[in-house]
Amino acid sequence: MINRRHIRVKVMQSVYAMLHSYNDDIIKEEKFLKHSILKMYDLYVLNLLLLVEVQKLAAKKIALSKKKILATKEDLNPNNKFLNNKLINLIAESVSVEGYVELNDLRNWEENDEYVKIIYDQLQNSDLYKKYLATEADSYKVDKTFVIDFFKEIIAPNEKLGEYFEDTMISWSDDIPFVNTWVVKTLSKQKENAIFVLGKLYKDKDDEEFVSKMFRKTVLKNTEYELIIEEKTPNWETDRIADMDMILIKMAVSEFLNFPSIPTRVTINEYIEISKDYSTEKSSYFINGVLDKISKEFVENKKIVKIGRGLL
């Protein structure tokens, strides 16, 4: 499921796009924001589905080998360990996966089967695959460990697959690392005798509402928050502050004022960490200093009122 940090990143991207396009259609931009999060779920399902498609291709290859005129003993008696992989079969038999694919017409691997072949060829030539086939133990634990390693070592780092995802949807370039982690967690949690069910997109209704509220509050109060930042950075001209730094600070200010259940220190730490990936080398220090000043003043003036978890 999408976590709060990645939600903040998605909101940050939409705020940046809106402010730099001089577009004031907040409803349209909010719809695109939500759409990009929903499409991230497609990326999650496609990665899981790729495991099944590679297995299907392996089954076809084995079936063709058996029909050779000069079929070898190995062709006639193939190692079916991969075809019988218990975890991949759970995914293949999942009503949850099948329903999502049908509902969203997710036919990417049928229309772009060259990527299935690329992953299949890489798997076939890997030591990971050879070692797995040579393993005598037939257990769910062995199958599960192999599938997780298959994903982590072959699928996730494949550059051609990554380029395909980025070309398919521009927002996926930032989603790939998060989704890869999500897939590994899903595979790791799957129990042997349990039906495979896709993970939820949002943890709860609060997280889903956090998307819209965070985006709207930041955009609608943009000018007000900019004045607050200017007061705390008297030695800086506004245009000298990195655009992304300004947006991250504005979002943090929005959290201070509009989200009473989020502790102030959590907010500051989150935007410091995001800045390390999306802004300049020194941004984290700058953002920490500015937010520390703003938060202290807000607490003193009782503008920040925290309740529940926000008090911690």
Side-chain angles (χ1 to χ4, degrees):
M1 68 186 72
I2 188 169
N3 57 33
R4 282 287 178 98
R5 179 171 297 174
H6 202 63
I7 289 175
R8 290 178 176 98
V9 169
K10 302 295 280 186
V11 171
M12 173 198 75
Q13 292 168 339
S14 288
V15 172
Y16 182 91
M18 186 165 184
L19 295 180
H20 283 76
S21 65
Y22 302 102
N23 171 26
D24 60 358
D25 192 340
I26 191 170
I27 295 176
K28 181 180 179 181
E29 193 60 46
E30 185 182 340
K31 284 182 179 178
F32 179 79
L33 167 60
K34 290 182 176 179
H35 175 71
S36 71
I37 293 175
L38 284 173
K39 293 301 288 183
M40 186 181 72
Y41 202 80
D42 283 3
L43 179 60
Y44 165 67
V45 176
L46 283 172
N47 273 289
L48 291 167
L49 206 57
L50 187 54
L51 295 165
V52 177
E53 293 302 317
V54 172
Q55 188 194 58
K56 285 181 181 178
L57 181 56
K60 288 179 183 177
K61 296 282 186 181
I62 288 175
L64 288 172
S65 294
K66 287 182 178 180
K67 294 179 180 179
K68 288 179 182 177
I69 296 174
L70 299 175
T72 64
K73 184 178 180 181
E74 187 178 281
D75 290 331
L76 296 172
N77 297 284
N79 188 328
N80 290 322
K81 195 173 184 68
F82 181 52
L83 272 57
N84 296 326
N85 184 280
K86 298 174 180 63
L87 178 51
I88 295 179
N89 288 340
L90 284 175
I91 300 171
E93 297 162 3
S94 170
V95 174
S96 176
V97 174
E98 182 183 1
Y100 188 87
V101 170
E102 291 295 329
L103 185 63
N104 295 278
D105 196 28
L106 216 59
R107 308 295 174 188
N108 297 59
W109 304 136
E110 292 177 21
E111 298 169 0
N112 302 278
D113 61 355
E114 65 268 27
Y115 294 100
V116 179
K117 293 173 184 174
I118 288 171
I119 298 299
Y120 170 80
D121 288 341
Q122 190 177 343
L123 175 65
Q124 287 281 302
N125 295 319
S126 69
D127 290 335
L128 172 69
Y129 186 69
K130 293 169 186 174
K131 184 178 178 181
Y132 173 63
L133 293 186
T135 304
E136 293 184 9
D138 180 24
S139 69
Y140 179 74
K141 183 178 179 180
V142 170
D143 286 354
K144 180 177 177 178
T145 299
F146 165 74
V147 173
I148 292 171
D149 290 341
F150 172 24
F151 182 80
K152 289 167 68 175
E153 296 177 22
I154 294 176
I155 294 178
N158 189 277
E159 292 183 4
K160 289 184 178 179
L161 184 62
E163 289 172 3
Y164 167 71
F165 285 145
E166 290 175 13
D167 290 342
T168 301
M169 183 151 184
I170 191 169
S171 63
W172 281 357
S173 60
D174 286 306
D175 294 334
I176 289 172
F178 174 79
V179 170
N180 285 344
T181 301
W182 188 7
V183 170
V184 171
K185 285 182 179 178
T186 299
L187 297 172
S188 299
K189 290 179 180 178
Q190 182 63 32
K191 303 296 182 183
E192 180 176 3
N193 298 316
I195 296 171
F196 186 89
V197 179
L198 292 170
K200 296 189 298 181
L201 179 57
Y202 293 102
K203 178 183 176 183
D204 50 33
K205 194 69 177 175
D206 286 346
D207 276 9
E208 187 173 357
E209 291 173 353
F210 181 73
V211 176
S212 295
K213 188 176 179 181
M214 189 68 203
F215 175 71
R216 284 176 169 269
K217 291 292 185 181
T218 304
V219 171
L220 293 174
K221 296 284 188 176
N222 177 62
T223 303
E224 178 183 324
Y225 294 159
E226 196 158 296
L227 290 173
I228 291 171
I229 296 168
E230 286 178 2
E231 289 177 3
K232 295 295 172 290
T233 54
N235 297 322
W236 290 77
E237 294 294 333
T238 304
D239 58 4
R240 285 183 59 211
I241 300 175
D243 289 349
M244 197 58 75
D245 290 358
M246 282 293 285
I247 289 171
L248 292 174
I249 295 171
K250 288 172 185 175
M251 289 176 65
V253 171
S254 182
E255 276 193 35
F256 289 160
L257 299 174
N258 302 297
F259 296 87
S261 65
I262 302 176
T264 304
R265 180 40 59 183
V266 169
T267 294
I268 294 174
N269 289 340
E270 284 293 294
Y271 289 101
I272 287 173
E273 290 305 312
I274 292 172
S275 73
K276 292 176 182 178
D277 291 326
Y278 292 92
S279 201
T280 67
E281 187 178 343
K282 297 180 179 179
S283 290
S284 60
Y285 301 103
F286 176 72
I287 289 172
N288 184 35
V290 175
L291 290 180
D292 187 58
K293 289 180 183 177
I294 293 174
S295 63
K296 286 178 179 176
E297 182 181 293
F298 280 3
V299 169
E300 188 177 331
N301 296 336
K302 297 184 179 179
K303 286 185 177 181
I304 291 181
V305 179
K306 298 293 182 180
I307 59 173
R309 290 177 300 164
L311 294 170
L312 302 175

